[in-house]
Amino acid sequence: MGGESHPLRAKSTKSTYPQLSAHPVGQWIPNIYKDRIGAFYGTGQYETKNLRAMMHEGVASGEPHIKLSVYDVPNLERPSFDDAISHEFKPTRIGELFGPSWSTHWFRVQITIPSELRKKEHLELHWDANNEGLVWTDDGKPLQGLTGGGERIEWVIPDSFRDGKEHTIYIEMACNGMFGNAPGGDSIQPPDPNKYFQLAKAEIVAVNLDARQLHVDIWIIGDAAREFPTDSWEQHKALTVANKVIDSFELGNKESLKTCRKVAQEYIGTLVDSSKVYDTETEPIVYGIGHCHIDTCWLWPFRETRRKVARSWSNQCDLLDRYPEHRFTASQAQQYKWLETIYPYAFDRVKEKVKQGTFQPVGGSWVEHDTNMPSGESLVRQFLYGQRYFESRFGTRCKTFWLPDTFGYSSQLPQLCRLAGMNRFFTQKLSWNNINKFPHTTFNWVSLDGSQVMCHMAPAETYTAEADFGDVKRSVTQHKSMDQDETSLLVFGKGDGGGGPTFMHLEKLRRCRGMSDKTGLLPRVHMGQSVDDFFDRLENKIAAGTDLVTWYGELYFELHRGTYTTQANNKRNNRKTENMLRDIELLATTASIKGDYKYPKKEIDDMWESMLLCQFHDCLPGSSIEMAYDESDEIYAEVFATGKKILKDIHKTLGLRPASNQQSGELLAINTMPWPRKELVDIAPGQCGVSCGTGNVLNVRKFKVSQKPAVTVKEAKKGVFVLENEQLRVQVEAGSITSLFDRAAEREVIPKGGKANQLVIFDDKPLYWQAWDVEVFHLDSRKELPSGRTTISEDSQHRVSVVTDTKISEDSWIKTTISLSAAFEKYQSYVEVSAEVEWHESMKFLKVEFPVDVRNTEASYETQYGIVRRPTHYNTTWDMAKFEVCCHKFADLSEHGYGVSILNDSKYGFATCGNLMRLSLLRAPKAPDAHADMGRHHIRWAILPHQGDLDSTTVRTAYNFNNPITLFEATPATDAAFVRDLPIKLTGSTSLILDTVKRGEDDEDVSRGELSKRAGKSVILRIYESLGGKSRGTIETSLDVKKVWKTNILEDDLEELRIDKGQVEITLRPFEVATFRLQLS
């Protein structure tokens, strides 16, 4: 022990380590070696000496290889293929300019492959005019879209073109870029109407595929070198491999490209050239899905979107053929319908890919709509029309609601999703919040009624990812819910203006996956599955015990708050159309059930689809260019014309005619509200009637003039006016209400020194997004508008009014009329204000304020099928962020026992700060529409004080305020019992609202044949609980009803209910939306 030698040490091994140093070796300077990588494949001074110089093996342009001729379409028209090619084409060439903005030019491209290129591995036509285009076959089949500006400029030339003969294709040029025609580099500025585009490239290119693939290899390895942590061996190896690739490159030596690629495989593996890279047994946590968000209008008009759909989805059909792992998802039934109608060949390609499972419809809605401002029934119809379209064309409904770009998500969406057959929701927009960071990635989102959906917000924080190394990495590093589930969706592809994934996106993801398996550290991405597969796994985890965190109520978006107000006329058209459609369906249902009237299903469908289109999330919010609103005005004009004709036919069927000054028959009033009404109606100048009763048709009697006037007005002292009825006393001074005294409650509504109905104006210059945003700092610029002279404008037995002219600026003015009508017992009186505004401002915001003597830390705002309560204080940044919010027909501030509601007609922006209520009226942004809101406006609002808490008084009065009674005369054809008897009514709790009465979608006498017909006739009722409490009621009907079913909003029968003597007892949970189907005998 201790001194003897070890037997193994007896043999000495000769070392390979040199004894003498051969030369000095320095440590790499990382930043220099990183910067070298980009220069290897970038443009600039080295592009003739680096990898870029070997991308092409040959190029042929000009005649005889490329012959060009063009048909310049006049008048900004967008003709069909057959129309276009019927015209004369004139010769043209590279370098010519084409325009102006939004014009269309059809090119006949005659291609002859030169002999020296015919045997090259891969041939492409490269076409670049810096604008969008669509490649067509010579027999009229759309093949693929082109983007321009160096991106998606290639079309793969078929092998059949290599025969030495001349072959013809057509290219339809659209004179707009992917993001419209804004001047300079700011895409949201109003479009330049006179942009011209130069045809810079039209050539046959033989592509060196090894060079192209090496480009992607070094790009991704270079990203790893730049973005991996510098204390990781993976980063150092990426830097080493990348530089080794560069050192192995020899300009002009094609074999060196193969050597370089072998070096790259040391880091990304050997499988990256095919879909086999995804066949390894390793577990992924990031799931890639191709997507192409196409704004149905935005910086371009609706008409251009139709072509964007054809270009974009044709691209994806091509890529789905070339990349077996590719899966593409697209939403918006409207866009599918456009493709089906205008581009049947492209639609058939899509339909085949859907059948194969590679092209995946998603979303279940008509468009990717705004969710703040559409009514509850509009949201229902988005789902009803969307799901019915997908089911009728593709045989299945969507399971996932898809809304990545909408400006906030209203609180009843989870409930409506579940009722539409969807229990999953995908978005990412809240990542744009500019005050608070939303805390969750994957969570349960809970509606007002308690319904929930699984929600996932892509942690890469985009729906247009470039499929870069960084996108994959951020899918984990920005994931906020990894305690519950570590997986995520990576939604990639060119978007907003369309396009979708490119071949480069798919190639990059192959390398990211190869890198994860070969080297590690990068999250493992997987391709080849669907959005539903992702949520299916999540649902299985939940079933196995995973508890996701919950978020209750609205997903308020802390940005784009100005969209509640911008483009006021468009918002007014939306509200008016919603009300009209409600009336039409109710009256048409009654007429078709009780008489021989044929329910106008096609016309109603067309009206709904048109309005749903205009609820797209850049149309209704007001964030599109002027051309889009010119189109929406045309759409609404057609809707109103159709609706007016339908109503005229229904009234004729009912034996009614519009009232005139020379009335000859009994006066009747049409009421489409499901509760009793007693209101004043103007019969003729100086004459007033009172409509009262229940049902769709009310009696009208003349207003009874008593010795004591029902309402009075007087000038108490110079410039101070007092309007008074039995319930309210209103004092108006300088156009503002300085006192509103509730005589019944013996309570002053306006705090001492306060001025209600005070017009105020603000500077409105957001950080960037003009039409979209109003920033918190705008509140610091508040200025009261000094009013002009106030005069009495009406002093009649039934109504009194004072009018005030207010100068806003040299170019703008507002005339406000404050009115008080005679009060009726059991009906709460209110102060009505109508305003006529001439508006020609720039970056200003007009509002009207109402300080009230009420105190609460929360205010209530009507939303779809319910009420949202929001803070009136700024305790936290989450509270302060809601300095401007969305409401529907009313906002309310109540304390125990008393409150004040502000009603509106077609306004949506509101704020309550402390006891100051503020209704937003008009904005004046200059981008992307330079003329947004300029011109004449007519606006109505009302102040409704009420005893007790917020209750059905406000809810019903707000409905009535938005749905004025219409006056008619009876004719000899009028069947009094027929028109007066309401066949269906709802009794019980006053919080229950019968919001919709319509015919069943698939009734055999109504169905348009999209889906299976249902025997007999049925009536659909939509009822909701409006105040937030469990409520009971009774559906009462005089119709011969065989069965009653509770259904979902798609009208699938779910539960049969008992009917006894025409009565059905129902119970709804707080804020529940319930649909019932009455099957008639």
Side-chain angles (χ1 to χ4, degrees):
M1 293 187 65
E4 67 271 27
S5 62
H6 195 286
L8 291 178
R9 291 178 184 157
K11 296 180 180 178
S12 63
T13 305
K14 188 175 181 181
S15 172
T16 58
Y17 177 68
Q19 181 175 354
L20 301 177
S21 173
H23 53 81
V25 177
Q27 185 176 13
W28 278 15
I29 312 300
N31 288 343
I32 293 175
Y33 282 87
K34 286 180 192 176
D35 291 346
R36 183 191 186 204
I37 300 170
F40 175 60
Y41 57 81
T43 57
Q45 62 180 327
Y46 297 122
E47 63 183 289
T48 60
K49 303 296 181 183
N50 64 11
L51 177 60
R52 190 169 290 271
M54 293 188 66
M55 289 290 189
H56 302 156
E57 295 185 288
V59 176
S61 63
E63 296 190 12
H65 312 302
I66 300 283
K67 294 180 185 176
L68 299 176
S69 54
V70 64
Y71 163 55
D72 301 313
V73 182
N75 304 321
L76 305 187
E77 294 172 357
R78 296 172 172 87
S80 67
F81 175 86
D82 289 337
D83 183 0
I85 67 168
S86 69
H87 292 272
E88 181 183 355
F89 281 66
K90 63 181 182 182
T92 189
R93 58 183 175 79
I94 302 297
E96 291 285 349
L97 293 172
F98 298 91
S101 305
W102 311 116
S103 62
T104 298
H105 305 266
W106 281 81
F107 292 83
R108 181 181 291 125
V109 184
Q110 294 163 284
I111 301 172
T112 304
I113 308 295
S115 57
E116 64 271 19
L117 298 184
R118 287 175 203 158
K119 294 187 178 180
K120 296 294 184 182
E121 182 180 9
H122 184 79
L123 297 180
E124 295 175 348
L125 173 70
H126 287 193
W127 176 280
D128 196 349
N130 201 30
N131 57 17
E132 293 193 83
L134 179 60
V135 180
W136 295 75
T137 63
D138 62 349
D139 58 351
K141 296 183 178 69
L143 296 179
Q144 181 200 305
L146 301 166
T147 301
E151 191 170 276
R152 210 188 309 257
I153 64 170
E154 73 286 339
W155 174 65
V156 178
I157 296 175
D159 287 343
S160 60
F161 280 34
R162 297 174 183 249
D163 58 3
K165 298 177 182 178
E166 184 176 87
H167 296 267
T168 300
I169 62 169
Y170 289 87
I171 294 180
E172 178 187 12
M173 174 193 285
C175 283
N176 53 266
M178 187 66 80
F179 291 90
N181 278 311
D186 188 350
S187 64
I188 72 163
Q189 293 307 306
D192 176 356
N194 291 304
K195 284 186 81 170
Y196 281 76
F197 297 83
Q198 185 176 49
L199 180 57
K201 185 176 291 186
E203 56 193 26
I204 302 165
V205 179
V207 178
N208 187 322
L209 292 181
D210 279 334
R212 180 178 279 181
Q213 295 290 64
L214 178 59
H215 177 205
V216 191
D217 295 344
I218 191 71
W219 183 348
I220 296 300
I221 297 171
D223 281 348
R226 286 181 288 265
E227 296 193 38
F228 272 155
T230 55
D231 60 355
S232 66
W233 70 264
E234 293 92 343
Q235 186 270 338
H236 289 276
K237 183 172 182 180
L239 190 59
T240 303
V241 170
N243 277 272
K244 188 176 177 183
V245 166
I246 299 170
D247 292 338
S248 302
F249 174 75
E250 296 178 23
L251 184 65
N253 184 349
K254 292 167 65 174
E255 287 303 310
S256 78
L257 297 175
K258 298 184 184 301
T259 302
C260 290
R261 295 212 66 209
K262 276 197 169 176
V263 173
Q265 289 171 4
E266 297 174 16
Y267 201 81
I268 58 176
T270 60
L271 301 176
V272 295
D273 288 343
S274 78
S275 60
K276 291 180 180 177
V277 71
Y278 297 106
D279 292 343
T280 61
E281 298 299 317
T282 50
E283 185 67 25
I285 60 172
V286 180
Y287 293 85
I289 189 76
H291 180 52
C292 169
H293 181 68
I294 305 178
D295 284 318
T296 304
C297 71
W298 182 31
L299 303 176
W300 50 87
F302 290 109
R303 290 183 179 91
E304 190 56 41
T305 305
R306 298 168 187 171
R307 301 202 293 190
K308 284 178 175 284
V309 173
R311 291 190 287 257
S312 302
W313 293 3
S314 295
N315 292 339
Q316 298 315 305
C317 288
D318 174 59
L319 286 175
L320 290 170
D321 288 335
R322 292 158 55 192
Y323 289 85
E325 74 272 25
H326 184 30
R327 298 294 181 271
F328 177 74
T329 194
S331 63
Q332 308 195 73
Q334 172 69 86
Q335 295 185 3
Y336 286 84
K337 185 173 182 178
W338 278 337
L339 195 73
E340 178 184 20
T341 305
I342 306 169
Y343 301 94
Y345 173 78
F347 182 76
D348 287 343
R349 289 181 77 189
V350 166
K351 199 168 183 179
E352 182 60 30
K353 300 301 182 189
V354 171
K355 187 176 180 182
Q356 294 169 5
T358 54
F359 194 116
Q360 299 161 350
V362 74
S365 58
W366 191 249
V367 294
E368 287 189 15
H369 51 92
D370 177 73
T371 77
N372 289 310
M373 290 168 283
S375 68
E377 190 60 29
S378 287
L379 294 183
V380 166
R381 300 306 174 95
Q382 287 285 353
F383 292 135
L384 177 70
Y385 281 89
Q387 289 285 50
R388 286 178 63 83
Y389 182 88
F390 289 124
E391 184 178 6
S392 64
R393 270 50 171 199
F394 307 118
T396 186
R397 296 171 177 171
C398 299
K399 296 165 64 177
T400 301
F401 185 34
W402 183 272
L403 217 57
D405 192 32
T406 293
F407 313 148
Y409 305 92
S410 60
S411 51
Q412 286 285 48
L413 280 176
Q415 179 180 187
L416 298 180
C417 283
R418 297 305 296 261
L419 292 171
M422 295 180 286
N423 64 355
R424 303 99 182 267
F425 176 50
F426 173 83
T427 185
Q428 64 79 50
K429 197 65 176 182
L430 267 60
S431 67
W432 284 39
N433 280 4
N434 72 345
I435 295 180
N436 299 286
K437 197 163 185 68
F438 191 76
H440 309 306
T441 292
T442 305
F443 58 97
N444 290 319
W445 181 24
V446 185
S447 194
L448 291 178
D449 77 312
S451 300
Q452 66 178 5
V453 292
M454 295 175 284
C455 182
H456 180 71
M457 297 187 181
E461 297 186 348
T462 181
Y463 52 90
T464 58
E466 288 290 341
D468 287 328
F469 173 98
D471 291 318
V472 177
K473 179 185 171 190
R474 285 187 290 274
S475 295
V476 167
T477 59
Q478 295 181 169
H479 199 303
K480 307 184 196 80
S481 302
M482 297 188 76
D483 291 342
Q484 290 81 38
D485 180 73
E486 70 280 6
T487 63
S488 65
L489 278 175
L490 175 62
V491 181
F492 65 94
K494 303 291 181 180
D496 291 335
T502 67
F503 76 88
M504 284 294 283
H505 291 137
L506 297 163
E507 293 289 353
K508 285 188 286 184
L509 286 176
R510 284 179 174 181
R511 283 148 184 83
C512 287
R513 174 57 182 262
M515 181 189 298
S516 300
D517 287 340
K518 176 70 175 177
T519 304
L521 195 57
L522 185 68
R524 188 169 287 109
V525 65
H526 192 70
M527 292 284 290
Q529 297 188 0
S530 67
V531 173
D532 286 339
D533 290 334
F534 173 83
F535 279 108
D536 285 345
R537 280 189 301 275
L538 191 59
E539 190 169 345
N540 290 337
K541 279 190 176 182
I542 293 170
T546 296
D547 277 334
L548 299 181
V549 297
T550 52
W551 184 273
Y552 285 80
E554 68 178 330
L555 294 172
Y556 177 83
F557 184 38
E558 295 179 4
L559 203 67
H560 294 3
R561 303 168 185 88
T563 58
Y564 312 143
T565 305
T566 308
Q567 297 287 0
N569 184 60
N570 191 55
K571 291 172 168 57
R572 179 183 174 89
N573 284 340
N574 176 75
R575 181 86 63 91
K576 298 301 182 188
T577 303
E578 289 174 334
N579 293 338
M580 173 186 273
L581 277 163
R582 184 188 184 283
D583 292 354
I584 286 172
E585 290 186 328
L586 169 65
L587 297 173
T589 297
T590 302
S592 69
I593 292 296
K594 295 180 69 176
D596 296 329
Y597 177 78
K598 180 165 177 57
Y599 193 80
K601 185 67 164 64
K602 179 186 183 303
E603 291 80 4
I604 289 174
D605 285 347
D606 290 345
M607 292 174 71
W608 271 112
E609 288 180 9
S610 293
M611 185 181 67
L612 297 178
L613 168 62
C614 292
Q615 290 175 346
F616 177 72
H617 70 253
D618 275 308
C619 183
L620 180 55
S623 49
S624 288
I625 61 172
E626 188 172 11
M627 290 177 74
Y629 293 108
D630 291 341
E631 285 184 312
S632 71
D633 286 347
E634 293 172 8
I635 292 169
Y636 278 121
E638 186 174 341
V639 168
F640 289 136
T642 301
K644 187 175 180 181
K645 182 179 183 303
I646 293 173
L647 287 171
K648 184 178 180 181
D649 292 344
I650 294 173
H651 297 151
K652 186 176 179 181
T653 299
L654 298 177
L656 302 174
R657 67 179 174 217
S660 65
N661 293 340
Q662 292 78 38
Q663 64 189 71
S664 56
E666 178 189 4
L667 284 177
L668 300 171
I670 292 286
N671 168 42
T672 56
M673 296 297 101
W675 43 69
R677 292 176 77 170
K678 188 174 184 179
E679 294 181 17
L680 296 171
V681 289
D682 290 323
I683 296 174
Q687 295 184 46
C688 177
V690 178
S691 61
C692 58
T694 59
N696 294 144
V697 180
L698 310 180
N699 290 320
V700 177
R701 57 177 173 79
K702 287 192 175 181
F703 180 76
K704 186 177 181 181
V705 178
S706 60
Q707 188 172 0
K708 180 184 178 182
V711 62
T712 62
V713 60
K714 64 181 179 180
E715 188 170 9
K717 58 182 179 180
K718 188 170 178 58
V720 179
F721 299 84
V722 177
L723 298 74
E724 188 169 6
N725 64 19
E726 290 184 358
Q727 295 183 19
L728 302 176
R729 183 169 63 244
V730 186
Q731 180 173 293
V732 178
E733 186 173 354
S736 298
I737 298 172
T738 53
S739 172
L740 173 54
F741 187 76
D742 186 332
R743 298 177 64 188
E746 297 184 338
R747 174 166 179 158
E748 175 60 56
V749 174
I750 310 301
K752 187 176 180 179
K755 294 185 292 184
N757 206 57
Q758 175 64 58
L759 295 165
V760 289
I761 198 162
F762 301 82
D763 288 336
D764 189 15
K765 301 181 184 72
L767 296 175
Y768 177 64
W769 301 95
Q770 285 194 45
W772 295 258
D773 287 350
V774 56
E775 303 288 5
V776 67
F777 52 73
H778 89 287
L779 296 170
D780 301 331
S781 66
R782 175 186 177 274
K783 291 179 183 177
E784 293 185 4
L785 289 175
S787 66
R789 184 165 172 262
T790 300
T791 58
I792 296 173
S793 59
E794 182 176 8
D795 184 4
S796 65
Q797 292 285 332
H798 63 281
R799 183 172 54 237
V800 296
S801 305
V802 295
V803 62
T804 305
D805 292 314
T806 300
K807 186 176 181 180
I808 299 172
S809 69
E810 290 300 319
D811 301 312
S812 303
W813 52 261
I814 179 168
K815 179 187 288 188
T816 52
T817 302
I818 300 174
S819 301
L820 188 66
S821 297
F824 297 116
E825 189 177 355
K826 297 182 181 179
Y827 289 85
Q828 177 61 50
S829 183
Y830 56 81
V831 181
E832 180 174 349
V833 184
S834 59
E836 182 180 10
V837 191
E838 186 68 22
W839 183 247
H840 295 283
E841 296 303 293
S842 178
M843 302 181 194
K844 298 291 183 182
F845 201 153
L846 179 66
K847 306 186 185 187
V848 60
E849 294 181 341
F850 311 92
V852 294
D853 191 14
V854 175
R855 187 173 184 83
N856 200 323
T857 56
E858 289 184 324
S860 300
Y861 303 85
E862 189 191 37
T863 187
Q864 300 95 345
Y865 297 130
I867 292 166
V868 175
R869 294 179 175 87
R870 301 182 178 111
T872 61
H873 55 78
Y874 294 162
N875 280 3
T876 70
T877 54
W878 292 91
D879 300 323
M880 190 182 72
K882 296 178 181 177
F883 62 84
E884 181 85 3
V885 298
C886 185
C887 76
H888 280 225
K889 296 184 291 295
F890 68 83
D892 181 86
L893 184 62
S894 292
E895 61 191 28
H896 176 65
Y898 199 83
V900 179
S901 301
I902 305 299
L903 317 181
N904 77 81
D905 173 5
S906 305
K907 292 297 169 186
Y908 296 92
F910 208 91
T912 307
C913 181
N915 70 334
L916 181 66
M917 307 176 78
R918 189 187 295 121
L919 176 65
S920 297
L921 301 180
L922 292 169
R923 297 186 69 224
K926 299 304 171 188
D929 177 0
H931 305 108
D933 285 320
M934 297 299 99
R936 188 67 57 92
H937 297 269
H938 296 273
I939 310 170
R940 294 171 62 237
W941 61 86
I943 309 169
L944 176 76
H946 58 84
Q947 295 186 56
D949 299 334
L950 172 63
D951 63 13
S952 59
T953 296
T954 293
V955 176
R956 291 184 174 190
T957 307
Y959 264 99
N960 294 348
F961 189 73
N962 278 264
N963 293 271
I965 280 175
T966 313
L967 203 58
F968 288 87
E969 291 180 30
T971 69
T974 304
D975 181 338
F978 180 88
V979 298
R980 282 193 175 89
D981 292 344
L982 189 63
I984 298 166
K985 60 183 178 179
L986 178 64
T987 60
S989 173
T990 57
S991 73
L992 295 178
I993 306 294
L994 175 56
D995 192 52
T996 298
V997 178
K998 63 183 286 290
R999 291 294 306 277
E1001 290 293 315
D1002 296 312
D1003 288 0
E1004 58 187 356
D1005 66 319
V1006 165
S1007 169
R1008 297 177 65 194
E1010 306 103 319
L1011 298 171
S1012 299
K1013 293 183 180 181
R1014 184 181 262 153
K1017 296 182 178 182
S1018 63
V1019 177
I1020 302 296
L1021 310 179
R1022 193 115 48 233
I1023 299 170
Y1024 74 97
E1025 198 289 313
S1026 63
L1027 292 170
K1030 185 175 181 179
S1031 299
R1032 295 181 176 86
T1034 303
I1035 299 170
E1036 299 180 6
T1037 180
S1038 58
L1039 300 174
D1040 186 8
V1041 176
K1042 181 167 63 175
K1043 288 184 177 181
V1044 177
W1045 295 85
K1046 189 173 186 179
T1047 75
N1048 58 22
I1049 62 175
L1050 305 182
E1051 302 179 14
D1052 300 324
D1053 293 339
L1054 301 178
E1055 174 190 1
E1056 187 174 358
L1057 304 181
R1058 182 171 174 268
I1059 182 169
D1060 182 23
K1061 298 178 181 178
Q1063 296 190 342
V1064 182
E1065 302 296 327
I1066 62 171
T1067 301
L1068 270 64
R1069 62 183 177 271
F1071 296 123
E1072 181 182 357
V1073 181
T1075 305
F1076 302 93
R1077 188 174 74 85
L1078 280 55
Q1079 181 70 52
L1080 305 186
S1081 298

